[in-house]
Amino acid sequence: MKEYKIVVLGSGGVGKSALTVQFVQGIFVEKYDPTIEDSYRKQVEIDGQQCMMEILDTAGTEQFTAMRDLYMKSGQGFVLVYSITAQATFNDLMELHDQIVRVKDTSDVPMILVGNKCDLDDERVVSKDQGQQLAKNFNCAFMEASAKNKINVPEIFYNLVRQINSKAPQNNTRGAGKAAKAQSHASKPKSSCCCL
C-alpha cells in the first residue's frame, strides 16, 4: 500500500486541526487548543487504490518555525490553510510557500490552498477571488472548506494524493504519467465551496 506524507500548514487558529480531525475522525473540534505537532494516519481508497495517509498537523505559532524545515523536507504534499475571516492568515501564506519551495528546491510541489471557515461567509474578509489569485501565483489547486459543516474536507486530501500520484506516477512510462495527470485534472472539484 502506498503511503503519503501530507503536511498541514498555516497560521494559528485557521482550523488546521479542525480540518484534519474532521477528515480523520469525522468530528468537529470546537475549542481552539494550539497544536505543537500532531500526527494522524488514515487509510482511504482513492481512485480504486488503497492509500495510507500520514497527516502532520503543525503548529501555527512562531516559536516553532525551526521545526518547519524538517516537516517540509519529509512532506510529499502540503495543505496551506488560511481563514476567510482573517486577512493576516492569508498574508502569512506567502512566506510559508516560499519556505516550502526553498526547502524542496523546486516550485513544482503538490500543494493545495484552502480558505477555511467558508460557513462564516458573513464575516468574510478574504474574497474567493483573492484565494484563486494566490493559488494561481503558487501554481496550485484551491478550494474553500468548512471543517464545521464538512464542506470539501475529504476533497482537500484526495486532491493532494492525486497530485502526488500525477507528479510521481507508479510506472515510469511517459504515457502513464500523462494519463494520471489528465485524471488528476479531471477529478478536481468544479465548485470550490457550496456555502449558502
Side-chain angles (χ1 to χ4, degrees), residues 52-104:
M52 178 60 77
M53 285 193 213
E54 190 174 310
I55 303 166
L56 189 67
D57 174 19
T58 64
T61 47
E62 284 310 300
Q63 70 250 43
F64 300 111
T65 49
M67 294 158 78
R68 281 200 202 132
D69 274 21
L70 294 170
Y71 305 151
M72 291 175 182
K73 274 193 178 78
S74 64
Q76 294 170 284
F78 299 88
V79 184
L80 297 182
V81 187
Y82 67 92
S83 165
I84 69 159
T85 66
Q87 184 71 45
T89 66
F90 180 77
N91 301 342
D92 288 345
L93 293 179
M94 194 63 88
E95 189 189 322
L96 277 174
H97 174 265
D98 292 349
Q99 193 178 353
I100 292 168
V101 169
R102 192 185 73 244
V103 170
K104 289 293 196 189

Side-chain angles (χ1 to χ4, degrees), residues 7-10 16-17 35-38 56-60 68 71:
V7 183
V8 185
L9 295 160
K16 298 183 297 295
S17 299
T35 304
I36 293 175
E37 177 190 322
D38 283 326
L56 189 67
D57 174 19
T58 64
R68 281 200 202 132
Y71 305 151

Side-chain angles (χ1 to χ4, degrees), residues 15 18-19 22 28 116-117 119 145-151 153:
L19 285 168
Q22 180 63 267
F28 176 63
N116 192 30
K117 308 189 183 181
D119 53 291
S146 165
K148 187 174 186 177
N149 292 355
K150 301 183 184 178
I151 296 167
V153 178

Side-chain angles (χ1 to χ4, degrees), residues 2 4 76 110 162-172 177 180:
K2 205 165 171 193
Y4 298 84
Q76 294 170 284
R162 290 181 177 121
Q163 283 188 55
I164 295 166
N165 285 340
S166 75
K167 288 184 196 308
Q170 268 147 331
N171 30 12
N172 293 329

